[in-house]
Amino acid sequence: IGKGPSKDPSPAMPDERFDVGTLEWQDMLKAMEAGYKCDNAGFHDEGYLLPELVSLFLVVWAIVLSMVFMGTKSLKYSVYVTLPLPYVVLVIMFFRGITLDGAGTGLKYYLTPNLGILFNDRIDEQTGKVLPAVNIWLSAASHIFYSLGLGQGMLITYSSYNPSHYPIKSNSLIVSAANCLTEIFGGFATFSILGYLAKKKGVTVDEVVAGGPGLVFESLPEAFGLMPAPAFFAFLFFFMLLLLGISSAIGMFESIVCTIRNQLTDMAPRSLWASRIVSQHWILPILCSMLIGFPGLLFCRRSAEQWIDLVDGTVSFFLLSLIGVGEFVAVAWVFGIKNFRTVLEHRCGYRPDAYLVFIWRFWGPMLLLSLFLFGIAGSIESPVTDVPWALAFGWLLAIIPLVFSIQYYVRYPNHDGETLSVHGFRPKAGWNDDTPSYMRAPYRIVALFTAQGKNKMDESVAGGGA
């Protein structure tokens, strides 16, 4: 912070700079009103690591590692805590919110749709940047991907531990419905509190509604500060976020460890270093935590807010959409929708109807691909940051995983020694016309969608297709 030009005839104060953290926005605004120049941390001024954030970051990783060390049999006991407690907190916040003065205004704002922002570009009043309408659709798509764990392997990893014949259809419907209903219910609790905040400040609800981290770390904490017993409700809210964040981190990390462990197990007979890694259960989780956790220190610096926006604007929006398109194509077109229906009927006793076939083959990939292409065009027109090297780094974060994945499945052989580019679609030796079609299909693709898929398919082949 430096003192700007002033009409005061007294000698000017020397330029002096202080650390203005990303969450100290209220103090920064007061300083600017007093005539000070405030420079936020950014990509040009990363700042230093904040010790309190680094210590909490290490504590969270210690919790995640401890749960992964204990294995999937122990993970179910953590769910008994991380699942019901957030619902208890949400219910308390809901009943407290609807009893506040101004809650009705907030709920009216929540339940009144504004369809204009879905199809018309907007101008950010603070930055002057154009906000493409497609960003709303991309935000909704990425939100569903994250809330349901789509395209990240969590649901697939956990479901791979279930018995072969499992009620997949009913479980999928229950998970999807519970997720969406919980989000709708959470909206009632959130906007009733925001309505109270708007009433207290004498402004409209849209003036206190913030997107992304601003809602969690600015608007809601400010509302809690105006409520009776602010410390109690603030503790409940952030404790709920902690539980939800840890449970999500455990699921994501477990899926990564499980996938790499399966690959290393296949490589172990012909690779000494792979056999050493899989020989001890604790080695791989520690190596993965170091590889994934080290870049996470970027979010422990004064420029954390800029890095969050960069990752959300590249990886979250575009990478997950493209992964979704790849999954649709791999299942419905490469593996074949007929083969996939046969596998589901064989494993679950359920054959998808024509509606799901249409969604999987046409509507799903076309919708996600359209969002991806329009999102790319919008990002070129209005980039997430004006810093060239940061923008290039963000796009590399989104592109590199795709390049590695594609080259891996094209170049390296599967567990039968076949490569996808040359022999992936060649019938397996010993198969004949009586072999079911889903056995003759490139079942290597199935291994992409279940961690134990190849083992299950091998068992089926060994059993003569029974």
Side-chain angles (χ1 to χ4, degrees):
I1 303 175
K3 189 65 176 177
S6 175
K7 298 180 180 180
D8 190 346
S10 58
M13 295 178 60
D15 282 348
E16 187 176 0
R17 186 164 188 171
F18 298 91
D19 267 348
V20 179
T22 56
L23 303 183
E24 298 172 1
W25 59 278
Q26 289 178 320
D27 294 336
M28 184 181 67
L29 291 179
K30 292 178 181 178
M32 292 176 66
E33 292 174 358
Y36 286 90
K37 297 182 299 182
C38 301
D39 296 325
N40 261 335
F43 294 118
H44 291 306
D45 183 15
E46 294 284 346
Y48 51 81
L49 291 173
L50 302 179
E52 60 273 17
L53 291 182
V54 174
S55 59
L56 293 175
F57 179 78
L58 295 177
V59 168
V60 170
W61 265 110
I63 296 175
V64 172
L65 274 176
S66 63
M67 298 305 299
V68 173
F69 283 159
M70 289 187 290
T72 54
K73 292 183 179 180
S74 300
L75 284 177
K76 64 180 181 181
Y77 299 108
S78 68
V79 175
Y80 296 153
V81 177
T82 58
L83 181 61
L85 280 184
Y87 278 100
V88 173
V89 174
L90 202 58
V91 169
I92 294 175
M93 291 181 58
F94 170 76
F95 284 106
R96 184 66 185 100
I98 61 176
T99 60
L100 295 171
D101 187 23
T105 305
L107 294 178
K108 182 180 179 181
Y109 179 85
Y110 173 55
L111 297 175
T112 303
N114 182 8
L115 300 180
I117 64 174
L118 298 178
F119 307 101
N120 301 315
D121 295 343
R122 296 171 293 132
I123 302 295
D124 192 329
E125 297 180 357
Q126 296 182 351
T127 62
K129 292 183 177 181
V130 178
L131 302 178
V134 71
N135 283 357
I136 300 295
W137 296 88
L138 283 172
S139 297
S142 63
H143 171 76
I144 290 297
F145 269 86
Y146 271 107
S147 61
L148 283 175
L150 305 177
Q152 302 168 62
M154 291 186 293
L155 295 176
I156 298 170
T157 299
Y158 286 141
S159 63
S160 68
Y161 296 108
N162 290 329
S164 300
H165 299 277
Y166 212 68
I168 295 178
K169 179 183 178 181
S170 60
N171 285 353
S172 301
L173 294 176
I174 291 173
V175 170
S176 302
N179 174 75
C180 295
L181 292 176
T182 300
E183 292 173 347
I184 295 174
F185 181 70
F188 281 94
T190 301
F191 278 88
S192 61
I193 296 175
L194 292 178
Y196 167 76
L197 176 61
K199 179 81 172 182
K200 282 289 187 179
K201 299 180 69 172
V203 297
T204 58
V205 178
D206 59 341
E207 295 183 58
V208 299
V209 173
L215 175 64
V216 176
F217 296 110
E218 295 175 6
S219 300
L220 288 178
E222 185 180 2
F224 294 143
L226 299 175
M227 293 167 54
F232 172 73
F233 287 102
F235 170 78
L236 285 181
F237 176 71
F238 286 104
F239 182 64
M240 176 186 68
L241 291 183
L242 177 64
L243 292 178
L244 294 175
I246 288 179
S247 61
S248 298
I250 292 173
M252 293 181 183
F253 189 64
E254 174 66 23
S255 64
I256 295 174
V257 173
C258 179
T259 302
I260 298 178
R261 188 182 300 278
N262 286 344
Q263 297 296 325
L264 292 180
T265 301
D266 289 343
M267 297 170 57
R270 58 182 184 274
S271 175
L272 179 60
W273 65 269
S275 62
R276 289 181 177 178
I277 292 177
V278 298
S279 62
Q280 299 293 332
H281 179 74
W282 55 270
I283 296 180
L284 184 59
I286 291 180
L287 292 177
C288 290
S289 65
M290 295 174 62
L291 181 64
I292 300 172
F294 182 75
L297 293 175
L298 290 173
F299 302 106
C300 298
R301 307 176 77 175
R302 291 176 53 240
S303 58
E305 187 175 356
Q306 283 72 26
W307 282 105
I308 291 175
D309 292 339
L310 179 65
V311 173
D312 282 342
T314 54
V315 178
S316 300
F317 283 177
F318 303 112
L319 182 58
L320 289 179
S321 299
L322 201 56
I323 290 176
V325 173
E327 290 186 347
F328 276 123
V329 172
V331 171
W333 295 96
V334 178
F335 183 67
I337 195 64
K338 292 183 179 180
N339 295 322
F340 189 61
R341 295 174 74 183
T342 304
V343 169
L344 286 180
E345 186 177 20
H346 174 72
R347 295 297 185 188
C348 314
Y350 165 70
R351 189 174 183 85
D353 52 22
Y355 170 75
L356 288 178
V357 171
F358 173 76
I359 295 294
W360 291 339
R361 293 195 68 181
F362 304 105
W363 181 249
M366 289 176 58
L367 178 61
L368 289 180
L369 186 59
S370 299
L371 288 176
F372 174 77
L373 295 178
F374 281 112
I376 292 292
S379 296
I380 295 175
E381 180 181 354
S382 179
V384 67
T385 180
D386 297 328
V387 182
W389 71 264
L391 188 62
F393 182 79
W395 285 112
L396 283 177
L397 287 178
I399 294 174
I400 288 178
L402 293 177
V403 173
F404 273 95
S405 300
I406 293 174
Q407 68 89 25
Y408 176 84
Y409 286 106
V410 171
R411 180 179 178 183
Y412 290 95
N414 61 7
H415 62 287
D416 289 323
E418 300 171 342
T419 57
L420 186 62
S421 59
V422 179
H423 303 292
F425 301 97
R426 181 178 297 175
K428 188 176 178 67
W431 287 353
N432 51 46
D433 294 337
D434 296 330
T435 304
S437 60
Y438 72 90
M439 297 295 183
R440 299 195 301 269
Y443 60 89
R444 178 187 181 193
I445 302 298
V446 179
L448 298 177
F449 300 93
T450 70
Q452 300 171 349
K454 64 181 184 61
N455 296 329
K456 294 180 180 179
M457 298 303 288
D458 286 345
E459 293 172 1
S460 298
V461 173

